[in-house]
Amino acid sequence: MFVSHPAAPSPAPVALRPMVNPHPIVTMVPLFDGHQCVIVDNFMTEPETMVEYAALQRGRFLDSADNYYPGPELPLTGRFVAGVQEAFLLHARTPLKARRVLGVASRLSLVTRRPEQLFPGQRMPHRDSYDLDEMEGVGAMVLYLFKDERLGGTSFFKPKVSPREIDALLRELKRMELAGESPVPAAPPTFAISSDEHFQKVLTVEPRFNRAIFYNGGIFHSGHITAPELMVDDPARGRLTVNAFFKLRMAAT
């Protein structure tokens, strides 16, 4: 399901010491059809301070009815977001075939919903979306800020069926959501963690504390959450991430 990026509430002022590490460890991992995932370890110089900040600001995290993230979020601004954009330009612009960044939005995110609480479209892989003109694209980043790797990384999927069939599926799921309907599951509901009749899972990036991944947000992906019982409403113990979205001017091919 496409993820919208509505106007965010006024963010809390961000007084953060941790900065983006100028000398991280960068690895390129192929996905499919020429796409790559850029893995950046040791992304921040003081990642613990970001976790402390999230815990202090927990009361300002909000669930948004307009966003498909399965939990509350807190917008980020300031020097840290500028550093995230610089990291994208340095490590991910070329692998993602981007020319320049037209805009960036970033937020702290915390998964709290269980599979049975998800909308139908949240139980399948999704794409990130801006309103895009020709030669524009969307990039994305996830920065893992938890040490318990059982909380899960990120999986990427390739459609098995035509774009027309995928679009029809997305429309039907949205219709069901608006109508308050729920599909009859063949098995207990889960997050999107494996291949099905519509999608082939091609890669799961394992989480690691202070690891960031950059990828084309137009690729279907999902949080790889196999232990939803571990999701807690506590930034110090839960599945806390920084998510960033980049509106891009793409390079000519």
Side-chain angles (χ1 to χ4, degrees):
M1 184 65 68
F2 285 89
V3 178
S4 61
H5 303 290
S10 297
V14 180
L16 293 171
R17 291 196 308 274
M19 289 292 103
V20 174
N21 183 359
H23 304 293
I25 301 170
V26 181
T27 307
M28 308 290 177
V29 179
L31 294 173
F32 59 90
D33 297 342
H35 295 295
Q36 297 188 80
C37 177
V38 183
I39 301 176
V40 184
D41 287 307
N42 301 335
F43 185 75
M44 298 176 65
T45 57
E46 299 180 63
E48 294 84 0
T49 307
M50 181 68 86
V51 179
E52 294 169 4
Y53 173 80
L56 289 172
Q57 296 293 329
R58 175 61 189 90
R60 299 182 65 94
F61 280 64
L62 295 175
D63 282 283
S64 173
D66 296 322
N67 190 14
Y68 251 55
Y69 197 81
E73 300 178 293
L74 176 69
L76 294 171
T77 60
R79 290 176 60 198
F80 173 73
V81 178
V84 167
Q85 178 170 325
E86 291 174 5
F88 175 90
L89 293 172
L90 182 61
H91 306 303
R93 174 171 55 181
T94 298
L96 269 60
K97 302 179 176 63
R99 182 178 176 185
R100 59 190 175 95
V101 174
L102 302 176
V104 59
S106 183
R107 54 205 183 213
L108 282 160
S109 304
L110 187 64
V111 174
T112 57
R113 295 180 197 164
R114 302 299 174 88
E116 62 272 15
Q117 298 172 315
L118 300 176
F119 294 123
Q122 289 177 309
R123 298 173 187 166
M124 62 171 282
H126 66 273
R127 295 176 289 193
D128 306 314
S129 176
Y130 281 97
D131 293 328
L132 300 175
D133 295 329
E134 186 177 0
M135 292 301 296
E136 291 182 350
V138 57
M141 182 200 80
V142 178
L143 168 61
Y144 306 110
L145 289 173
F146 51 87
K147 295 182 180 179
D148 186 347
E149 296 182 5
R150 296 177 299 167
L151 296 176
T154 304
S155 288
F156 296 92
F157 297 81
K158 181 178 181 179
K160 292 180 176 179
V161 298
S162 69
R164 182 176 180 179
E165 291 176 86
I166 292 293
D167 290 342
L169 172 64
L170 297 177
R171 287 194 298 269
E172 174 60 12
L173 291 172
K174 187 65 176 179
R175 183 201 66 77
M176 295 178 70
E177 176 188 325
L178 294 174
E181 301 176 5
S182 183
V184 179
T190 68
F191 288 86
I193 56 176
S194 59
S195 301
D196 61 18
E197 65 270 31
H198 297 105
F199 296 96
Q200 174 189 355
K201 188 179 78 170
V202 297
L203 176 72
T204 297
V205 177
E206 299 299 331
R208 182 177 296 169
F209 183 66
N210 202 22
R211 164 178 284 177
I213 63 171
F214 294 90
Y215 53 91
N216 183 331
I219 296 174
F220 282 95
H221 58 278
S222 177
H224 190 79
I225 299 173
T226 60
E229 69 278 5
L230 298 179
M231 303 300 119
V232 294
D233 191 10
D234 178 358
R237 298 187 297 115
R239 193 180 187 277
L240 178 69
T241 59
V242 172
N243 296 71
F245 306 92
F246 308 89
K247 187 174 184 179
L248 304 173
R249 173 70 63 186
M250 304 306 293
T253 57

